[in-house]
Each structure stands twice: as structure tokens, then as C-alpha cells.
């Protein structure tokens, strides 16, 4: 009668296979993560939707100290003739975006107000300042033409409201380019120029993710430049 393999040998082989599979399942994701973390080209960026928007040096500072867009990651809002009426929009942006990102080194929030809306700003700043560090939130005023001209430089598919306000917040990068989306499934033409501040849900759904992508892009670029400098100095 032929000898059959012992059951113990089959059991040992089966246990080894299980352990091998477990190791592979845990190790592969980690290896993949490290590969993409250190790669130079496998990195998502936030699309540029309008290049070279206008600078803000023609505006006068009401609150804060912002003097330019260049070299800062900036979120711009337009509060119109009656900024206090838009306090709900401002609060949504404050809670969902500003408080999450204002610790980033080059981050700033800028609200643009026509001269007719200046009286509301002191009250808004006082209320917001009770719960928020407004060091990186700046309020600037200009005449109607200056406000409209700045907005026009964004080249969006929408217009300012009659009171020179907008429901949208706009993201400007270090090189004064407007960032957004160019393949969005919801927008009719696929392009997102700004982020609707009417509801916190809209900010949660789009803007938080896009801000993370943009800031991660700059962290990656900083790390790459730093590593190159270290190599050159060696």
C-alpha cells in the first residue's frame, strides 16, 4: 500500500500560506504608500483655471495687513454693500475652511468690500474675534470699479451680484493663479472657479479636499527643493 503524506505536513503548509498572505496584505499597501510618497511624478495637483489674476495693491486695508497675493495661498471673498447680511456665509467659511487651514505658513483669507459696505466690518470682526484668531483674515476696501475689475480678472462663468457680493470663495495660489476643478461632474462645463459658501455641506464636499490637495502640493515641492539643495551642498 502506498504511503500518503502525513496530515501534519499539510497543516503546516496551510498555516505558512495563511501567514504569507497576511504579511503580503499588510506589507503591500505600506510599500505602495512609501513609493508614491517619495515619487516625483505620482502626485495630484489642483488645476489652474485662470492664470495671473490681478494684484490687490490698489485696495485699502480696513482690518489686517495683507498687501499682495503673490507668494501666498489666498482665499478671496466678495462681501458686497451689506457685509453683515452675509454673516452666515462668512461663518460657514470660518468654521469649515479658515479654522482648518490658517496655521499654514503662507495662508491668508481676504474679504473685498466696496466703500459703501465698510461700516459693517467692525461689527463682523468684533463678533468673529470672540471665537476666532483673525490674524490671517484681512478686510480690504475699494471703489466699485476696483472691486469689479478684480473679480473680472478671475474670468469665471458667473457675475457678481448687484451689490458687488458673491456667494463663492476663490482660491488663489502663490503665483496669482486661480485654482479649482476642470473635470467636475456636477458643473455643466466641468469647471469649478469658486466654492459656494451658502451651505457648509458644499464646503465639506469640495473645498476642504481641494485645499488639502493644494497645500500638499506646496509641501511636496518644498520637500523636493530642500532635498535637491541638500544634495547640491554635499
Amino acid at each position: 500500500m502506498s504511503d500518503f503524506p502525513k496530515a501534519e505536513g499539510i497543516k503546516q503548509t496551510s498555516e505558512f500560506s495563511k501567514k504569507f498572505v497576511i504579511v503580503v496584505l499588510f506589507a503591500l499597501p505600506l510599500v505602495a504608500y512609501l513609493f508614491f510618497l517619495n515619487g516625483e511624478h505620482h502626485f495630484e495637483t489642483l488645476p489652474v483655471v485662470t492664470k495671473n489674476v490681478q494684484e490687490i495693491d490698489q485696495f485699502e486695508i480696513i482690518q489686517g495687513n495683507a498687501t499682495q497675493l503673490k507668494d501666498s495661498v489666498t482665499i478671496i471673498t466678495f462681501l458686497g454693500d451689506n457685509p453683515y447680511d452675509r454673516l452666515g456665509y462668512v461663518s460657514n467659511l470660518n468654521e469649515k475652511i479658515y479654522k482648518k487651514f490658517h496655521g499654514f505658513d503662507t495662508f491668508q483669507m481676504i474679504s473685498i468690500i466696496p466703500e459703501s459696505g465698510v461700516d459693517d466690518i467692525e461689527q463682523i470682526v468684533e463678533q468673529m474675534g470672540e471665537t476666532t484668531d483673525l490674524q490671517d483674515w484681512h478686510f480690504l476696501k475699494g471703489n466699485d470699479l476696483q472691486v469689479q475689475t478684480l473679480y473680472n480678472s478671475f474670468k469665471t462663468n458667473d457675475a457678481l451680484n448687484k451689490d458687488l457680493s458673491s456667494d463663492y470663495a476663490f482660491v488663489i495660489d502663490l503665483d496669482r493663479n486661480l485654482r479649482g476643478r476642470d473635470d467636475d461632474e456636477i458643473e455643466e462645463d466641468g469647471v469649478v472657479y469658486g466654492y459656494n459658501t451658502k451651505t457648509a455641506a458644499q464646503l465639506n464636499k469640495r473645498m476642504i479636499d481641494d485645499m488639502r490637495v493644494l497645500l500638499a502640493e506646496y509641501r511636496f515641492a518644498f520637500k523636493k527643493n530642500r532635498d535637491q539643495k541638500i544634495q547640491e551642498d554635499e
Side-chain angles (χ1 to χ4, degrees), residues 180-200:
R181 298 185 180 190
D182 56 11
D183 59 353
D184 190 76
E185 296 179 356
I186 298 176
E187 296 296 328
E188 185 175 343
D189 59 359
V191 181
V192 172
Y193 293 95
Y195 302 85
N196 198 325
T197 62
K198 277 185 178 181
T199 65

Side-chain angles (χ1 to χ4, degrees), residues 88-104:
Y89 298 67
V90 173
S91 297
N92 287 335
L93 200 60
N94 178 35
E95 293 297 327
K96 296 301 179 180
I97 304 298
Y98 179 77
K99 287 184 176 181
K100 279 181 169 58
F101 299 109
H102 84 95
F104 187 78

Side-chain angles (χ1 to χ4, degrees), residues 37-39 216-230:
L37 182 66
N38 293 301
E217 176 185 335
Y218 284 123
R219 289 191 188 99
F220 178 81
F222 174 79
K223 179 180 180 297
K224 180 180 177 181
N225 292 335
R226 182 192 61 191
D227 292 345
Q228 287 179 346
K229 188 175 186 306
I230 291 174

Side-chain angles (χ1 to χ4, degrees), residues 11 13 28 53 72 74 88 92 97 105 115 118 140-141 155 161 166 171 183 194 202-203 210:
K11 183 178 180 180
T13 301
L28 279 179
V53 305
S72 292
T74 307
N92 287 335
I97 304 298
D105 286 343
E115 293 170 348
V118 171
L140 309 183
K141 73 173 182 178
K155 299 178 182 178
N161 298 321
S166 174
V171 177
D183 59 353
Q202 286 288 323
L203 300 179
D210 288 1

Side-chain angles (χ1 to χ4, degrees), residues 123-134:
Q123 189 175 4
I124 290 176
V125 170
E126 182 179 349
Q127 288 190 22
M128 292 178 60
E130 294 176 357
T131 58
T132 303
D133 176 6
L134 296 176

Side-chain angles (χ1 to χ4, degrees), residues 98-158:
Y98 179 77
K99 287 184 176 181
K100 279 181 169 58
F101 299 109
H102 84 95
F104 187 78
D105 286 343
T106 62
F107 177 86
Q108 62 180 359
M109 184 88 76
I110 293 178
S111 291
I112 301 294
I113 300 100
E115 293 170 348
S116 54
V118 171
D119 292 343
D120 286 355
I121 298 305
E122 183 177 351
Q123 189 175 4
I124 290 176
V125 170
E126 182 179 349
Q127 288 190 22
M128 292 178 60
E130 294 176 357
T131 58
T132 303
D133 176 6
L134 296 176
Q135 181 178 354
D136 297 318
W137 197 321
H138 316 285
F139 295 83
L140 309 183
K141 73 173 182 178
N143 61 46
D144 291 4
L145 179 60
Q146 289 170 331
V147 173
Q148 187 66 63
T149 301
L150 174 63
Y151 183 83
N152 289 347
S153 75
F154 295 177
K155 299 178 182 178
T156 75
N157 55 0
D158 201 2

